[in-house]
Amino acid sequence: MKFGVCGGPEIARIARQAGYDYFEWSVGGLLHPREEERVFEEALAQVHAVGLPCPAVNVFLPADLKVTGPDANLEALRAYVTTAFRRAGQAGVEIIVFGSGGARRIPDGFDRAAAMRQLVEFGKMAAPLAGQWGVTLVVEPLNVTETNVLNTVEEAAGLVRAVDHPNFMLLVDGYHWAKDHDTLAGIRKNAGLVRHAHIATVEGRRPPRPEDDCAEFLKALVQSGYTGRISIEGRIDAPEEELPVALETMRRLVAA
């Protein structure tokens, strides 16, 4: 398993010194799909200067670019994701995280079945474009306080199966999973779809520490056969102190 941390170049420099394998920036921070090429090139130069790979990025869609509801515009989405995937390919990014709770939130009163069809349509549009650049889009289940759709591993896996494309897969996030009391069975049942993972404590959404219990989530991942990347996604107040402890904690729990 490879260990990374979510954040920009500043935290990535500390992560490199601590022994992490990679960092995970955001789509807006690195790819800038709505900005001119020069802005993207400047951000990419920052990644190269850090000396730590950035194979994954998160926060795919801005909240105003709707996937569900009456304001969803598939052609506007197509234009945005086409630029994002092209730049991801140029930057060596392999994974883009589709959390984007605001963009996928189903508007009040809107038919849920119709919204799910829109999500499938979006996935079927985006996945082949991602594949052209060697990128995999991974669906992230988010807890119910952040969005009202795709909240469980099982529900997100259902979308992945409906889209049915090798470049549209699943992410599991230990924070969201534990916060909503999602199931171990959901991870084990859908293990073959998982291509990326996030982790943080439920209490305070912090990096793993010896006194915190992230063991159940990591045990489920390991027992499911997952050997890919896992990124800390949470609040890091003192990275010089917290990141080495978190890395040692995760390595120990995985080994156990």
Side-chain angles (χ1 to χ4, degrees), residues 3-254:
F3 301 98
V5 60
C6 294
E10 289 304 316
I11 202 165
R13 292 185 181 92
I14 300 168
R16 178 173 59 82
Q17 293 294 328
Y20 283 77
D21 299 299
Y22 69 94
F23 77 108
E24 179 177 327
W25 206 355
S26 65
V27 168
L30 175 55
L31 305 181
H32 295 277
R34 287 175 160 172
E35 305 291 337
E36 60 188 36
E37 206 72 16
R38 173 187 58 81
V39 180
F40 160 61
E41 291 169 355
E42 290 171 354
L44 183 56
Q46 292 182 60
V47 172
H48 292 158
V50 168
L52 190 68
C54 182
V57 291
N58 55 43
V59 195
F60 185 31
L61 301 175
D64 64 288
L65 195 56
K66 301 298 183 184
V67 179
T68 65
D71 296 327
N73 184 329
L74 197 64
E75 289 312 306
L77 286 162
R78 186 191 307 275
Y80 179 94
V81 305
T82 297
T83 300
F85 293 142
R86 174 179 60 80
R87 291 180 178 178
Q90 292 171 343
V93 169
E94 301 171 8
I95 295 288
I96 294 182
V97 177
F98 178 32
S100 309
R104 78 191 198 201
R105 172 178 287 276
I106 302 173
D108 292 343
F110 191 78
D111 183 72
R112 190 172 185 88
M116 292 306 299
R117 289 193 293 270
Q118 288 176 313
L119 284 161
V120 173
E121 186 179 28
F122 170 72
K124 286 182 175 293
M125 176 274 291
L129 296 174
Q132 290 176 15
W133 291 98
V135 175
T136 299
L137 192 60
V138 291
V139 183
E140 179 179 25
L142 299 176
N143 74 77
V144 296
T145 69
E146 296 193 14
T147 196
N148 61 358
V149 66
L150 306 177
N151 302 115
T152 68
V153 172
E154 183 67 24
E155 188 182 12
L159 175 62
V160 171
R161 289 190 169 91
V163 171
D164 191 24
H165 193 284
N167 295 87
F168 193 86
M169 302 299 282
L170 182 65
L171 176 151
V172 289
D173 183 303
Y175 168 76
H176 296 292
W177 176 83
K179 186 174 178 62
D180 274 2
H181 305 288
D182 205 350
T183 66
L184 290 168
I187 294 177
R188 292 168 179 156
K189 176 182 175 182
N190 300 293
L193 303 178
V194 178
R195 294 295 181 274
H196 194 50
H198 286 165
I199 192 169
T201 66
V202 176
E203 184 66 35
R205 202 172 186 178
R206 305 301 299 274
R209 295 169 293 187
E211 65 269 24
D212 294 313
D213 189 9
C214 291
E216 187 178 32
F217 175 69
L218 283 171
K219 181 179 179 180
L221 276 183
V222 171
Q223 290 184 342
S224 74
Y226 182 74
T227 58
R229 301 184 184 99
I230 183 166
S231 306
I232 297 169
E233 186 186 33
R235 196 181 92 227
I236 306 173
D237 294 332
E240 294 89 348
E241 300 172 10
E242 294 178 75
L243 289 184
V245 172
L247 182 59
E248 189 280 330
T249 300
M250 291 187 293
R251 284 174 171 167
R252 176 177 51 80
L253 289 172
V254 168

